[in-house]
């Protein structure tokens, strides 16, 4: 059974940094995309960053230049480095892994940016 577990969320002041981790367990093969999404209260879930097999990255315009997605070379683990955080970055952050046959979601980790 595939399971994704996010960690690294918390409360941080504006301008601060956090690093989120998404650890995948179980049989995950043929990963095509590893991505981070977020959902703030009352808003739709939105893609924040994505890493396509081969190394191509995509970012939401709102986080371009501040966030960086990467993955472990061997393990099914993705990271999201978040710098210069703003109050509008406050949301539940979710990890998603897409393979050629399935997609998997984690349960999320809360990020709160507040002074």
């Amino acid at each position: 059974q595939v399971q994704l577990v996010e960690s690294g969320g918390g409360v941080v002041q504006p301008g601060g940094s956090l690093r989120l981790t998404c650890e995948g367990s179980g049989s995950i093969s043929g990963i095509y995309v590893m991505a981070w999404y977020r959902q703030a209260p009352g808003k739709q879930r939105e893609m924040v960053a994505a890493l396509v097999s081969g190394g191509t990255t995509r970012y939401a315009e709102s986080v371009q230049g501040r966030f960086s997605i990467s993955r472990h070379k061997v393990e099914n683990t993705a990271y999201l480095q978040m710098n210069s955080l703003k109050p509008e970055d406050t949301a539940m952050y979710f990890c998603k892994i897409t393979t050629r046959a399935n997609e998997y979601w984690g349960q999320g980790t809360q990020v709160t940016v507040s002074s």
Side-chain angles (χ1 to χ4, degrees), residues 11-74:
V11 180
V12 63
Q13 292 187 341
S17 298
L18 285 173
R19 189 192 196 206
L20 305 184
T21 299
C22 169
E23 296 183 271
S25 61
S27 179
I28 307 176
S29 61
I31 293 177
Y32 182 58
V33 181
M34 301 182 85
W36 287 94
Y37 286 71
R38 67 185 180 188
Q39 187 168 20
K43 294 188 177 181
Q44 288 189 328
R45 190 172 295 190
E46 62 173 350
M47 192 276 290
V48 175
L51 175 60
V52 182
S53 62
T56 301
T57 56
R58 294 184 63 186
Y59 296 94
E61 185 175 341
S62 59
V63 307
Q64 185 76 41
R66 300 188 297 123
F67 290 12
S68 177
I69 186 172
S70 60
R71 68 170 292 182
H72 192 286
K73 288 185 178 180
V74 177

Side-chain angles (χ1 to χ4, degrees), residues 6 9 20 36-41 44-46 48 89-95 106-112:
E6 300 96 334
L20 305 184
W36 287 94
Y37 286 71
R38 67 185 180 188
Q39 187 168 20
Q44 288 189 328
R45 190 172 295 190
E46 62 173 350
V48 175
D89 294 319
T90 295
M92 184 72 77
Y93 283 71
F94 299 89
C95 173
Q107 294 299 305
T109 184
Q110 177 67 38
V111 171
T112 301

Side-chain angles (χ1 to χ4, degrees), residues 74-111:
V74 177
E75 304 294 330
N76 293 325
T77 299
Y79 307 100
L80 184 67
Q81 178 66 42
M82 305 186 297
N83 300 325
S84 302
L85 283 161
K86 305 175 180 180
E88 50 264 43
D89 294 319
T90 295
M92 184 72 77
Y93 283 71
F94 299 89
C95 173
K96 184 175 106 171
I97 290 180
T98 304
T99 69
R100 300 196 185 279
N102 293 288
E103 65 178 35
Y104 307 97
W105 287 89
Q107 294 299 305
T109 184
Q110 177 67 38
V111 171

